[in-house]
């Protein structure tokens, strides 16, 4: 029998971009304990510091029922477990379920009868009940849907977005039994003011999540392919999009680098499951191939512009402004700006990278890039505006141009600067 009470403690497993805001919201209403395997992360949060910039010190303070730990044994008193760990892909573009499996195992070691485990991490349809729950069952010795229950409520966090937050984004909910589904739905209604959508099954909820970002990936891939075509036709893509956008039902997607932990990853989870059952998707993987080549395209476009200006590429100095996967966000995971850097380095250019939002240590550990803290004037043969952080955009065209030598190239990946002021844009 599953019965969730307002005083039951929630354990949030994984305190990244998804888990921490969720822990804070629940911590305003009921006993909540946030768990993460990184002691440094726990220490920072205990001091009121969130290096992801998703939660302020004031918000942490307002979650008066929230505590933090890196000791899984301290989760034993919890009745509700919510898993918000990363679900990346490996170098072969296959799902890497290790964080999810480790979280499930840790929960299995502390879960008690009458508990419920809710997964928020993006997975392929079937993963919760076919992969995760059996591990909890095996480790705990408890019987699924008798001694403990499961739910799936996909995260919809958009890093860096201060407008769309947990409480004003409709939440999809689901459960392993009708009563579990009701319990999960009721739980999230406590913090989501705009309402919930209760799916008929966990698989439906899993599938809904994975196609949200797959759809965006494909729409961006279409526009990126058009950008590749229009480049050959010597037509400005942004002008075309502005003209087409005057029609009421034209979708306002833009070309760009598709990185991060969602849009560029989730489609591989769906295609993995499709191939497992013998279906070989074509459109989804085609879109991925197009989006994955855009960094190289930008770099080679800059090289062509330099060559036309008779600027020697070998030994040239190139500045890349921005490294994170999106603007005003410190998240470096799966950023495709790195493709620009590596392509330029392949042509023996010397590349500097400046990013006011990224963590210097994280950039070096992840990509062996030493971020440039200050910007020298009159120094670069080419400048690439790769990420439109406010601090970069606020420099203005004049200050950005001053960073270049008398003869230099300025390429605007984000199409933020006036068309007449840049040499090219995506």
């Amino acid at each position: 029998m599953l019965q969730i009470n307002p005083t039951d403690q929630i354990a949030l497993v994984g305190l990244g971009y998804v888990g921490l805001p969720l822990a804070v919201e629940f911590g305003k209403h009921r006993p909540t304990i946030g768990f993460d395997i990184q002691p440094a992360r726990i220490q920072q949060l205990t001091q009121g510091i969130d290096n992801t910039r998703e939660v302020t010190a004031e918000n942490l303070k307002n979650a008066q029922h929230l505590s933090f730990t890196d000791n899984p044994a301290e989760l034993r008193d919890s009745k509700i477990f919510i898993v918000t760990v990363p679900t990346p892909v490996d170098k072969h573009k296959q799902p890497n379920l290790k964080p999810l499996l480790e979280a499930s195992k840790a929960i299995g070691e502390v879960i008690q009868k009458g508990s419920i485990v809710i997964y928020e991490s993006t997975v392929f349809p079937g993963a919760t009940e076919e992969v995760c729950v059996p591990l909890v069952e095996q480790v705990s010795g408890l019987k699924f849907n008798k001694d403990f229950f499961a739910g799936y409520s996909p995260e919809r966090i958009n890093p860096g977005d201060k407008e769309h937050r947990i409480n004003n984004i409709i939440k999809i909910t689901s459960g392993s039994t009708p009563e579990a589904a009701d319990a999960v739905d009721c739980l999230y209604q406590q913090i989501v003011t705009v309402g919930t959508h209760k799916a008929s099954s966990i698989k439906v909820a899993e599938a809904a999540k994975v196609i949200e970002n797959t759809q965006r990936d494909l729409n961006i891939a279409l526009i990126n392919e058009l950008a590749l075509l229009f480049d050959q036709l010597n037509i400005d893509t942004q002008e075309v999009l502005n003209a087409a956008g005057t029609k009421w039902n034209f979708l306002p997607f833009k070309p760009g680098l598709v990185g991060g932990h969602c849009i560029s990853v989730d489609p591989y989870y769906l295609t993995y499951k499709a191939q497992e059952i013998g279906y070989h998707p074509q459109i989804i993987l085609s879109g991925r191939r197009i989006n994955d080549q855009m960094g190289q395209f930008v770099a080679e476009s800059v090289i062509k512009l330099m060559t036309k200006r008779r600027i020697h590429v070998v030994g040239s100095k190139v500045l890349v402004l921005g490294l994170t996967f999106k603007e005003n966000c410190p998240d470096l995971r799966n950023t495709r700006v790195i493709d620009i850097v590596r392509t330029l380095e392949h042509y023996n250019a010397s590349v500097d990278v400046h990013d006011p939002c990224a963590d210097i240590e994280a950039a070096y550990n992840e990509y062996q890039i030493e971020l440039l803290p200050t910007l020298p004037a009159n120094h670069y043969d080419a400048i690439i505006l790769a990420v439109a952080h406010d601090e970069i955009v606020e420099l203005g065209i004049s200050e950005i141009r001053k960073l270049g030598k008398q003869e230099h190239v300025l390429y605007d990946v984000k199409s933020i600067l006036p068309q007449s002021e840049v040499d090219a844009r995506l």
Side-chain angles (χ1 to χ4, degrees):
M1 179 68 179
L2 177 63
Q3 185 174 353
I4 301 297
N5 299 312
T7 57
D8 289 334
Q9 179 171 282
I10 295 178
L12 261 295
V13 181
L15 296 175
Y17 287 86
V18 175
L20 180 61
L22 195 62
V24 167
E25 289 303 314
F26 276 121
K28 295 176 182 178
H29 303 280
R30 61 195 303 156
T32 305
I33 183 167
F35 169 80
D36 200 279
I37 61 174
Q38 302 179 63
R41 175 70 167 156
I42 297 301
Q43 184 178 4
Q44 288 176 344
L45 293 175
T46 302
Q47 297 171 349
I49 302 170
D50 172 30
N51 58 16
T52 69
R53 303 187 183 185
E54 288 299 304
V55 175
T56 65
E58 183 179 359
N59 286 332
L60 284 168
K61 185 178 180 180
N62 289 338
Q64 63 269 28
H65 305 295
L66 175 61
S67 61
F68 301 105
T69 184
D70 59 358
N71 182 2
E74 294 185 21
L75 307 181
R76 194 172 296 276
D77 293 332
S78 302
K79 181 75 173 289
I80 305 160
F81 298 86
I82 301 180
V83 180
T84 56
V85 298
T87 45
V89 292
D90 61 23
K91 63 180 181 179
H92 303 296
K93 308 299 184 184
Q94 296 294 298
N96 176 8
L97 298 179
K98 184 178 178 181
L100 205 59
L101 297 177
E102 291 295 328
S104 299
K105 181 180 177 181
I107 291 171
E109 292 173 346
V110 297
I111 193 172
Q112 306 294 325
K113 285 188 176 182
S115 298
I116 185 167
V117 185
I118 304 168
Y119 291 87
E120 288 213 6
S121 305
T122 302
V123 292
F124 51 79
T128 298
E129 293 164 294
E130 296 168 9
V131 179
C132 301
V133 166
L135 186 56
V136 176
E137 196 173 30
Q138 175 188 338
V139 175
S140 67
L142 300 178
K143 185 70 174 176
F144 178 48
N145 280 341
K146 178 182 177 183
D147 300 323
F148 76 97
F149 301 83
Y152 185 79
S153 182
E155 60 89 4
R156 279 178 166 170
I157 294 293
N158 185 24
D161 188 340
K162 303 307 179 184
E163 179 181 353
H164 300 97
R165 309 301 292 174
I166 288 174
N167 59 356
N168 63 11
I169 301 174
I170 294 175
K171 199 84 164 72
I172 298 174
T173 65
S174 64
S176 55
T177 67
E179 66 175 0
D182 289 341
V184 173
D185 196 65
C186 183
L187 177 69
Y188 282 103
Q189 285 183 14
Q190 187 175 32
I191 62 171
V192 181
T193 58
V194 294
T196 58
H197 176 93
K198 186 166 61 174
S200 62
S201 69
I202 287 177
K203 282 187 177 181
V204 168
E206 291 169 326
K209 169 56 182 175
V210 81
I211 72 164
E212 288 176 12
N213 288 322
T214 299
Q215 182 188 65
R216 284 185 57 78
D217 192 43
L218 287 171
N219 277 311
I220 297 171
L222 171 61
I223 303 302
N224 275 338
E225 186 166 49
L226 293 175
L228 298 175
L229 170 61
F230 295 148
D231 178 71
Q232 295 292 316
L233 296 174
N234 197 28
I235 301 174
D236 185 84
T237 303
Q238 293 300 321
E239 286 193 33
V240 175
L241 294 177
N242 290 338
T246 59
K247 188 179 181 185
W248 69 91
N249 59 354
F250 186 82
L251 301 178
F253 285 92
K254 295 182 178 180
L257 307 176
V258 185
H261 60 102
C262 288
I263 298 179
S264 62
V265 171
D266 294 358
Y268 290 120
Y269 274 75
L270 186 58
T271 57
Y272 168 83
K273 187 63 177 180
Q275 291 167 343
E276 185 180 66
I277 63 173
Y279 181 82
H280 299 285
Q282 299 179 52
I283 295 177
I284 298 172
L285 289 176
S286 176
R288 280 280 74 236
R289 286 191 292 270
I290 291 170
N291 287 339
D292 278 346
Q293 69 174 298
M294 296 308 294
Q296 179 180 342
F297 169 76
V298 168
E300 292 181 346
S301 296
V302 171
I303 290 169
K304 290 177 182 177
L305 287 169
M306 293 171 68
T307 302
K308 288 179 180 179
R309 297 276 186 86
R310 297 185 179 180
I311 300 173
H312 293 292
V313 176
V314 176
S316 63
K317 298 182 183 298
V318 180
L319 174 64
V320 175
L321 293 173
L323 180 62
T324 64
F325 91 92
K326 65 180 296 187
E327 61 274 7
N328 303 321
C329 174
D331 196 348
L332 289 166
R333 289 177 294 175
N334 200 33
T335 174
R336 298 317 341 140
V337 177
I338 193 64
D339 299 335
I340 298 176
V341 175
R342 297 296 183 240
T343 302
L344 290 168
E345 290 176 339
H346 178 75
Y347 284 91
N348 293 316
S350 175
V351 183
D352 285 340
V353 182
H354 172 75
D355 192 309
C357 290
D359 181 81
I360 293 176
E361 185 178 350
Y364 185 79
N365 291 339
E366 185 72 20
Y367 301 108
Q368 292 73 57
I369 287 179
E370 295 184 1
L371 292 177
L372 200 67
T374 58
L375 297 171
N378 306 315
H379 190 72
Y380 296 102
D381 298 291
I383 302 168
I384 302 173
L385 198 166
V387 187
H389 295 308
D390 287 345
E391 293 95 327
I392 293 175
V393 176
E394 288 169 1
L395 287 173
I397 183 64
S398 177
E399 291 301 312
I400 292 176
R401 281 288 191 185
K402 286 180 182 179
L403 302 173
K405 297 177 181 177
Q406 183 174 358
E407 186 68 29
H408 68 273
V409 167
L410 175 58
Y411 191 102
D412 184 5
V413 175
K414 302 295 291 185
S415 297
I416 295 297
L417 302 174
Q419 179 190 0
S420 59
E421 300 291 344
V422 300
D423 296 290
R425 58 183 183 176
L426 187 59

